[in-house]
PDB file of all heavy atoms in Angstrom:
ATOM      1  N   LYS A   4       0.061   8.140   2.735  1.00  0.00           N
ATOM      2  CA  LYS A   4       0.699   9.259   3.441  1.00  0.00           C
ATOM      3  C   LYS A   4       0.422   9.173   4.942  1.00  0.00           C
ATOM      4  O   LYS A   4       0.802  10.054   5.707  1.00  0.00           O
ATOM      5  CB  LYS A   4       0.150  10.590   2.920  1.00  0.00           C
ATOM      6  CG  LYS A   4       0.535  10.869   1.474  1.00  0.00           C
ATOM      7  CD  LYS A   4       0.004  12.224   1.053  1.00  0.00           C
ATOM      8  CE  LYS A   4       0.055  12.462  -0.439  1.00  0.00           C
ATOM      9  NZ  LYS A   4       1.310  12.175  -1.107  1.00  0.00           N
ATOM     10  N   PRO A  22      10.104   8.122   3.132  1.00  0.00           N
ATOM     11  CA  PRO A  22      10.706   9.188   2.321  1.00  0.00           C
ATOM     12  C   PRO A  22      11.749   9.929   3.151  1.00  0.00           C
ATOM     13  O   PRO A  22      11.585  10.103   4.360  1.00  0.00           O
ATOM     14  CB  PRO A  22       9.518  10.106   2.039  1.00  0.00           C
ATOM     15  CG  PRO A  22       8.623   9.939   3.229  1.00  0.00           C
ATOM     16  CD  PRO A  22       8.805   8.527   3.721  1.00  0.00           C
ATOM     17  N   THR A  23      12.823  10.337   2.530  1.00  0.00           N
ATOM     18  CA  THR A  23      13.745  11.276   3.179  1.00  0.00           C
ATOM     19  C   THR A  23      14.094  12.328   2.130  1.00  0.00           C
ATOM     20  O   THR A  23      13.668  12.224   0.983  1.00  0.00           O
ATOM     21  CB  THR A  23      15.047  10.618   3.706  1.00  0.00           C
ATOM     22  OG1 THR A  23      15.964  10.471   2.630  1.00  0.00           O
ATOM     23  CG2 THR A  23      14.792   9.284   4.384  1.00  0.00           C
ATOM     24  N   TYR A  27      14.634   7.390  -0.894  1.00  0.00           N
ATOM     25  CA  TYR A  27      13.737   6.612  -0.024  1.00  0.00           C
ATOM     26  C   TYR A  27      14.531   5.548   0.721  1.00  0.00           C
ATOM     27  O   TYR A  27      15.485   4.979   0.186  1.00  0.00           O
ATOM     28  CB  TYR A  27      12.611   5.954  -0.848  1.00  0.00           C
ATOM     29  CG  TYR A  27      11.423   6.878  -1.049  1.00  0.00           C
ATOM     30  CD1 TYR A  27      11.522   7.985  -1.888  1.00  0.00           C
ATOM     31  CD2 TYR A  27      10.222   6.669  -0.363  1.00  0.00           C
ATOM     32  CE1 TYR A  27      10.451   8.856  -2.046  1.00  0.00           C
ATOM     33  CE2 TYR A  27       9.144   7.526  -0.522  1.00  0.00           C
ATOM     34  CZ  TYR A  27       9.263   8.616  -1.356  1.00  0.00           C
ATOM     35  OH  TYR A  27       8.207   9.484  -1.504  1.00  0.00           O
ATOM     36  N   HIS A 115      12.764  15.157   6.624  1.00  0.00           N
ATOM     37  CA  HIS A 115      11.498  15.031   5.904  1.00  0.00           C
ATOM     38  C   HIS A 115      10.375  14.983   6.937  1.00  0.00           C
ATOM     39  O   HIS A 115      10.435  14.177   7.867  1.00  0.00           O
ATOM     40  CB  HIS A 115      11.493  13.761   5.043  1.00  0.00           C
ATOM     41  CG  HIS A 115      10.353  13.730   4.070  1.00  0.00           C
ATOM     42  ND1 HIS A 115       9.035  13.595   4.472  1.00  0.00           N
ATOM     43  CD2 HIS A 115      10.319  13.873   2.727  1.00  0.00           C
ATOM     44  CE1 HIS A 115       8.257  13.643   3.407  1.00  0.00           C
ATOM     45  NE2 HIS A 115       9.003  13.808   2.343  1.00  0.00           N
ATOM     46  N   LEU A 117       7.361  13.776   7.114  1.00  0.00           N
ATOM     47  CA  LEU A 117       6.664  12.501   7.375  1.00  0.00           C
ATOM     48  C   LEU A 117       7.539  11.552   8.186  1.00  0.00           C
ATOM     49  O   LEU A 117       7.076  10.933   9.153  1.00  0.00           O
ATOM     50  CB  LEU A 117       6.318  11.808   6.056  1.00  0.00           C
ATOM     51  CG  LEU A 117       4.927  11.982   5.481  1.00  0.00           C
ATOM     52  CD1 LEU A 117       4.726  11.013   4.309  1.00  0.00           C
ATOM     53  CD2 LEU A 117       3.865  11.724   6.542  1.00  0.00           C
ATOM     54  N   THR A 143      13.978   7.679  -5.755  1.00  0.00           N
ATOM     55  CA  THR A 143      13.705   9.047  -5.307  1.00  0.00           C
ATOM     56  C   THR A 143      12.206   9.364  -5.357  1.00  0.00           C
ATOM     57  O   THR A 143      11.817  10.517  -5.222  1.00  0.00           O
ATOM     58  CB  THR A 143      14.486  10.074  -6.153  1.00  0.00           C
ATOM     59  OG1 THR A 143      14.174   9.871  -7.534  1.00  0.00           O
ATOM     60  CG2 THR A 143      15.983   9.916  -5.955  1.00  0.00           C
ATOM     61  N   SER A 144      11.363   8.323  -5.549  1.00  0.00           N
ATOM     62  CA  SER A 144       9.910   8.519  -5.477  1.00  0.00           C
ATOM     63  C   SER A 144       9.292   7.222  -4.962  1.00  0.00           C
ATOM     64  O   SER A 144       9.919   6.144  -5.034  1.00  0.00           O
ATOM     65  CB  SER A 144       9.333   8.842  -6.852  1.00  0.00           C
ATOM     66  OG  SER A 144       9.391   7.699  -7.681  1.00  0.00           O
ATOM     67  N   ALA A 145       8.043   7.327  -4.463  1.00  0.00           N
ATOM     68  CA  ALA A 145       7.339   6.128  -3.981  1.00  0.00           C
ATOM     69  C   ALA A 145       7.163   5.134  -5.130  1.00  0.00           C
ATOM     70  O   ALA A 145       7.259   3.919  -4.938  1.00  0.00           O
ATOM     71  CB  ALA A 145       5.987   6.532  -3.396  1.00  0.00           C
ATOM     72  N   ALA A 146       6.951   5.648  -6.346  1.00  0.00           N
ATOM     73  CA  ALA A 146       6.766   4.761  -7.512  1.00  0.00           C
ATOM     74  C   ALA A 146       8.030   3.938  -7.796  1.00  0.00           C
ATOM     75  O   ALA A 146       7.940   2.765  -8.162  1.00  0.00           O
ATOM     76  CB  ALA A 146       6.385   5.588  -8.739  1.00  0.00           C
ATOM     77  N   LEU A 160       5.518   4.697   2.539  1.00  0.00           N
ATOM     78  CA  LEU A 160       5.057   6.040   2.945  1.00  0.00           C
ATOM     79  C   LEU A 160       5.419   7.008   1.830  1.00  0.00           C
ATOM     80  O   LEU A 160       6.603   7.140   1.481  1.00  0.00           O
ATOM     81  CB  LEU A 160       5.774   6.468   4.228  1.00  0.00           C
ATOM     82  CG  LEU A 160       5.058   6.324   5.562  1.00  0.00           C
ATOM     83  CD1 LEU A 160       5.877   7.004   6.640  1.00  0.00           C
ATOM     84  CD2 LEU A 160       3.644   6.874   5.517  1.00  0.00           C
ATOM     85  N   ASP A 161       4.412   7.677   1.302  1.00  0.00           N
ATOM     86  CA  ASP A 161       4.630   8.535   0.142  1.00  0.00           C
ATOM     87  C   ASP A 161       4.868   9.982   0.572  1.00  0.00           C
ATOM     88  O   ASP A 161       3.945  10.674   0.983  1.00  0.00           O
ATOM     89  CB  ASP A 161       3.415   8.449  -0.786  1.00  0.00           C
ATOM     90  CG  ASP A 161       3.637   9.206  -2.083  1.00  0.00           C
ATOM     91  OD1 ASP A 161       4.700   9.856  -2.227  1.00  0.00           O
ATOM     92  OD2 ASP A 161       2.750   9.149  -2.950  1.00  0.00           O
ATOM     93  N   GLY A 162       6.107  10.426   0.464  1.00  0.00           N
ATOM     94  CA  GLY A 162       6.440  11.807   0.827  1.00  0.00           C
ATOM     95  C   GLY A 162       6.806  12.635  -0.391  1.00  0.00           C
ATOM     96  O   GLY A 162       7.509  13.631  -0.276  1.00  0.00           O
ATOM     97  N   GLY A 163       6.352  12.203  -1.572  1.00  0.00           N
ATOM     98  CA  GLY A 163       6.652  12.949  -2.798  1.00  0.00           C
ATOM     99  C   GLY A 163       8.066  12.681  -3.302  1.00  0.00           C
ATOM    100  O   GLY A 163       8.744  11.760  -2.824  1.00  0.00           O
ATOM    101  N   ASP A 164       8.499  13.476  -4.276  1.00  0.00           N
ATOM    102  CA  ASP A 164       9.853  13.322  -4.824  1.00  0.00           C
ATOM    103  C   ASP A 164      10.881  13.824  -3.810  1.00  0.00           C
ATOM    104  O   ASP A 164      10.665  14.845  -3.163  1.00  0.00           O
ATOM    105  CB  ASP A 164       9.994  14.142  -6.109  1.00  0.00           C
ATOM    106  CG  ASP A 164       9.171  13.548  -7.241  1.00  0.00           C
ATOM    107  OD1 ASP A 164       8.779  12.368  -7.138  1.00  0.00           O
ATOM    108  OD2 ASP A 164       8.913  14.280  -8.213  1.00  0.00           O
ATOM    109  N   CYS A 165      12.004  13.111  -3.698  1.00  0.00           N
ATOM    110  CA  CYS A 165      13.044  13.516  -2.740  1.00  0.00           C
ATOM    111  C   CYS A 165      13.643  14.850  -3.159  1.00  0.00           C
ATOM    112  O   CYS A 165      14.008  15.038  -4.327  1.00  0.00           O
ATOM    113  CB  CYS A 165      14.130  12.451  -2.681  1.00  0.00           C
ATOM    114  SG  CYS A 165      13.513  10.865  -2.116  1.00  0.00           S
ATOM    115  N   GLN A 166      13.764  15.760  -2.215  1.00  0.00           N
ATOM    116  CA  GLN A 166      14.216  17.119  -2.525  1.00  0.00           C
ATOM    117  C   GLN A 166      15.690  17.185  -2.904  1.00  0.00           C
ATOM    118  O   GLN A 166      16.082  17.981  -3.740  1.00  0.00           O
ATOM    119  CB  GLN A 166      13.948  18.055  -1.338  1.00  0.00           C
ATOM    120  CG  GLN A 166      12.478  18.373  -1.150  1.00  0.00           C
ATOM    121  CD  GLN A 166      11.844  18.951  -2.419  1.00  0.00           C
ATOM    122  OE1 GLN A 166      12.341  19.918  -2.983  1.00  0.00           O
ATOM    123  NE2 GLN A 166      10.761  18.338  -2.892  1.00  0.00           N
TER     124      GLN A 166
END
Side-chain angles (χ1 to χ4, degrees):
K4 293 182 193 311
T23 81
Y27 274 71
H115 192 292
L117 263 190
T143 55
S144 70
L160 260 189
D161 186 356
D164 290 343
C165 298
Q166 288 305 307

